[in-house]
Amino acid sequence: MELKNKVVLITGSTRGIGQAMALAFAKAGAKVIINGRHEQLSDEFKAILDSENAEYQYLSADLAQTDLKEFAKKAWDLYGKIDVLINNAGINRDKMLIGMREADFDQVINLDLRVPFFLTKAIIKKMNKERSGVVINMSSIVGLHGNAGQANYAAAKAGLVGFTKAAAREAAMRNIRVNAIAPGMINTDMTAELSDRVKKNILEQIPLTRLGEANEVAETAIFLAQNDYITGQTIVVDGGMTM
Ligand code: NAD
């Protein structure tokens, strides 16, 4: 897929990996729909987008409590189409299983699995008519291998891998591809919360001896959007941590 003038909707794209993807797609000539919970984009992010001559719209919505059919319609109507949907918004509420409250489970399953599921349903319905489209789900190596203290997050991210394969099989006949990315430890606000002891322990398990950068995940999303013959896959971006 040639990205120039394509429309890309990225959920949770005001910081971290989502922000890096918004910039990467804008640099490739795509029109980007940025989503976040705040009423407006920060002046700082606006300035970066403007310095890149990015074409973009901002669609504010807390996806954990938004009617996703309505959100999909609003997003679609901004440019009259969506060529690429990236289900990126995600949270974690880490606790050991025996101490995990129902709310910790429900909030993570809701934003990390239910929202991508129903947003994809609403957008793919529209993509079907175009006989073209790309969906990218942001999973995690935790969904492939598990991690102590993240049973809720692992369940949601593993769910996304299965969802990706089933949706890819259903949508392929209409020339719609569905893939997932499973990052390892990427340098963002999500990982900044980890203690130095945990970070040191993780670094020892990464053959490339460093955390990944958000733009390295963004480059993978660009590749998956552009390559017309990859579907149903989960691409691991983890510095060799889980090889
Ligand atoms: P982050 O916390 O920096 O960013 C998450 C984004 O989601 C933010 O923009 C946030 O505003 C948005 N968001 C949160 N709740 C939302 C809601 N209710 N409605 C709309 N947006 C909401 O995280 P990140 O590290 O950039 O992670 C992005 C994705 O990649 C997530 O799905 C995460 O699970 C996944 N991931 C991250 C890592 C990592 O190491 N950072 C590793 C594996 C997977």
Side-chain angles (χ1 to χ4, degrees):
M1 180 188 270
E2 157 68 48
L3 293 177
K4 191 148 182 54
N5 291 323
K6 291 293 190 300
V7 179
V8 185
L9 166 60
I10 307 167
T11 65
S13 43
T14 53
R15 68 175 199 213
I17 294 170
Q19 184 186 63
M21 290 194 290
L23 282 170
F25 277 94
K27 277 187 198 169
K31 298 170 183 172
V32 183
I33 303 172
I34 297 165
N35 155 252
R37 284 168 294 181
H38 298 292
E39 200 98 316
Q40 292 188 336
L41 268 189
S42 69
D43 289 342
E44 203 186 344
F45 190 18
K46 268 193 211 159
I48 300 174
L49 287 160
D50 290 341
S51 72
E52 297 290 348
N53 283 326
E55 184 154 344
Y56 69 92
Q57 297 269 0
Y58 179 61
L59 194 52
S60 152
D62 178 343
L63 295 177
Q65 32 197 337
T66 296
D67 180 324
L68 295 169
K69 243 164 109 180
E70 251 172 50
F71 176 79
K73 183 176 180 330
K74 264 194 211 161
W76 191 276
D77 289 347
L78 285 174
Y79 290 110
K81 65 171 183 170
I82 288 173
D83 300 290
V84 182
L85 163 66
I86 305 183
N87 287 305
N88 170 72
I91 49 166
N92 51 347
R93 299 279 180 269
D94 300 351
K95 278 195 185 77
M96 297 304 275
L97 176 59
I98 54 171
M100 195 167 286
R101 299 166 311 145
E102 282 191 27
D104 301 323
F105 178 80
D106 292 343
Q107 285 169 16
V108 169
I109 295 293
N110 181 38
L111 188 70
D112 294 18
L113 182 59
R114 192 179 187 282
V115 166
F117 187 100
F118 285 102
L119 184 57
T120 302
K121 177 186 168 186
I123 298 281
I124 275 193
K125 255 185 166 171
K126 294 172 180 290
M127 286 176 170
N128 276 344
K129 294 188 188 133
E130 311 293 322
R131 294 265 189 275
S132 153
V134 173
V135 177
I136 299 171
N137 294 315
M138 200 54 65
S139 180
S140 165
I141 56 165
V142 171
L144 301 175
H145 300 275
N147 193 26
Q150 293 196 303
N152 51 354
Y153 186 76
K157 296 299 188 182
L160 274 184
V161 172
F163 169 55
T164 296
K165 293 180 189 180
R169 286 187 187 276
E170 287 186 18
M173 70 179 75
R174 294 205 165 75
N175 190 33
I176 297 164
R177 295 181 297 103
V178 187
N179 289 294
I181 300 176
M185 292 298 295
I186 309 299
N187 204 0
T188 68
D189 290 349
M190 195 179 254
T191 44
E193 296 164 6
L194 300 172
S195 69
D196 287 346
R197 188 182 56 81
V198 172
K199 268 195 197 148
K200 185 172 171 285
N201 184 21
I202 289 167
L203 278 175
E204 281 166 7
Q205 298 171 49
I206 303 177
L208 285 176
T209 66
R210 63 173 176 86
L211 299 191
E213 296 300 327
N215 69 302
E216 292 170 320
V217 180
E219 283 164 12
T220 312
I222 296 270
F223 164 72
L224 284 174
Q226 283 177 328
N227 190 303
D228 291 326
Y229 202 55
I230 298 180
T231 196
Q233 302 303 310
T234 298
I235 309 293
V236 174
V237 184
D238 71 348
M241 192 176 177
T242 62
M243 71 172 92

